[in-house]
Amino acid sequence: MALSLRPLLILLTTLFLTTEAADFIHSRAAYYPNSDEQGTDVGACGFGSFGATINGGDVSAASDLYRNGVGCGDCYQVRCTNSQYCSDKGVTVVITDSGSGPNTDFILSSRAFGRMAQTKDAAASLLALGVVDIEYRRVSCSYPNKNITIKIDENSNYPYYLAFVLWYQQGDKDITAVQLCETQNFVCKLLDRSYGAVWTTTSPPSGPLSLKMLLSGEDGDESWIVPVNNIPENWKAGETYDTGVQIDV
């Protein structure tokens, strides 16, 4: 007796669609009311003006997903659910700030909010709504031709106080710890997360400095990454230093 493949194909298709939908979490999203399309340059992550322009300005503040700064630099696919206006792809945003609205997980830049739409006219309709139902999921951050970069905070004071943020965080893991090591004797010091994505120490080691970053996944997997390039001995406030490292995504 011949077996029909149709029921099996229907079952497999249903399972695939169910699994895909299960990856997304339902919530709501608003946008910065005074945004000039991009994000804010005074966000709670400490990225400064970089936080307004990273990812082409497709950025967002987050409420619970901010996680006391651990969520800074994370990437999420966000798509609205109104089939009249919204695309299936939505938009990928980078968390650069902390904020909350009426039952929202995201407060997007107006650029990112409009990019959830199918067309420019639909984007105008979304922006007129102000707050929309969405679904989201964590995705890998990708910055082609960019290495993780150290930005020394302007408030740093050589050689007594060092603060910095990390730009172009790649992949889908969190940076949960940072160590600063002397390159000559390999003595390392665990840094403090001052706020957001800002790491600090009041007595930095001397000489050229090597950085170690702990990457932690949602599955509990952890690994240390050591950049190729060092922070120079006479580091300066406001400067950026290329680590030479890209995380495979």
Side-chain angles (χ1 to χ4, degrees):
M1 179 176 63
L3 296 176
S4 173
L5 292 178
R6 181 176 175 80
L8 179 59
L9 290 174
I10 292 175
L11 176 61
L12 291 175
T13 300
T14 301
L15 288 173
F16 173 78
L17 292 175
T18 301
T19 301
E20 184 183 49
D23 289 339
F24 286 88
I25 299 171
H26 293 277
S27 184
R28 288 164 65 80
Y31 66 93
Y32 288 106
N34 300 320
S35 170
D36 57 351
E37 288 200 348
Q38 296 177 334
T40 174
D41 58 3
V42 291
C45 286
F47 290 133
S49 58
F50 174 78
T53 59
I54 186 176
N55 196 38
D58 289 337
V59 297
S60 180
S63 51
D64 291 344
L65 297 174
Y66 176 75
R67 293 181 291 144
N68 293 320
V70 176
C72 290
D74 291 350
C75 293
Y76 290 88
Q77 181 186 3
V78 182
R79 61 188 191 188
C80 52
T81 57
N82 186 322
S83 59
Q84 181 178 357
Y85 304 127
C86 304
S87 70
D88 293 334
K89 183 179 179 180
V91 63
T92 297
V93 297
V94 182
I95 302 302
T96 60
D97 194 9
S98 173
S100 60
N103 299 316
T104 62
D105 276 307
F106 296 90
I107 301 179
L108 283 69
S109 63
S110 60
R111 167 189 161 90
F113 198 88
R115 279 167 55 81
M116 293 190 294
Q118 301 171 15
T119 63
K120 288 185 177 180
D121 288 341
S125 297
L126 280 184
L127 289 166
L129 290 173
V131 181
V132 295
D133 293 322
I134 57 127
E135 53 188 15
Y136 70 90
R137 63 180 173 184
R138 178 86 178 265
V139 294
S140 289
C141 297
S142 179
Y143 303 104
N145 303 317
K146 295 289 187 181
N147 297 324
I148 295 178
T149 299
I150 300 165
K151 170 63 166 59
I152 307 296
D153 189 88
E154 286 79 0
N155 294 318
S156 296
N157 180 22
Y158 177 85
Y160 306 106
Y161 174 72
L162 175 60
F164 61 84
V165 295
L166 299 172
W167 289 0
Y168 305 116
Q169 176 182 330
Q170 301 143 2
D172 60 358
K173 293 184 178 182
D174 300 319
I175 298 177
T176 55
V178 174
Q179 289 186 353
L180 202 58
C181 306
E182 295 183 11
T183 57
Q184 294 182 349
N185 57 20
F186 303 106
V187 173
C188 296
K189 180 176 183 178
L190 190 65
L191 303 188
D192 298 317
R193 185 190 295 273
S194 176
Y195 72 95
V198 179
W199 299 91
T200 65
T201 176
T202 54
S203 54
S206 59
L209 302 174
S210 176
L211 203 67
K212 295 175 65 177
M213 300 171 288
L214 181 63
L215 300 182
S216 303
E218 294 180 353
D219 58 359
D221 180 55
E222 293 185 332
S223 58
W224 285 96
I225 285 188
V226 180
V228 176
N229 301 328
N230 296 325
I231 299 174
E233 179 177 0
N234 297 317
W235 50 264
K236 295 180 180 180
E239 291 294 312
T240 57
Y241 300 105
D242 188 330
T243 67
V245 167
Q246 280 194 8
I247 300 173
D248 293 333
V249 297

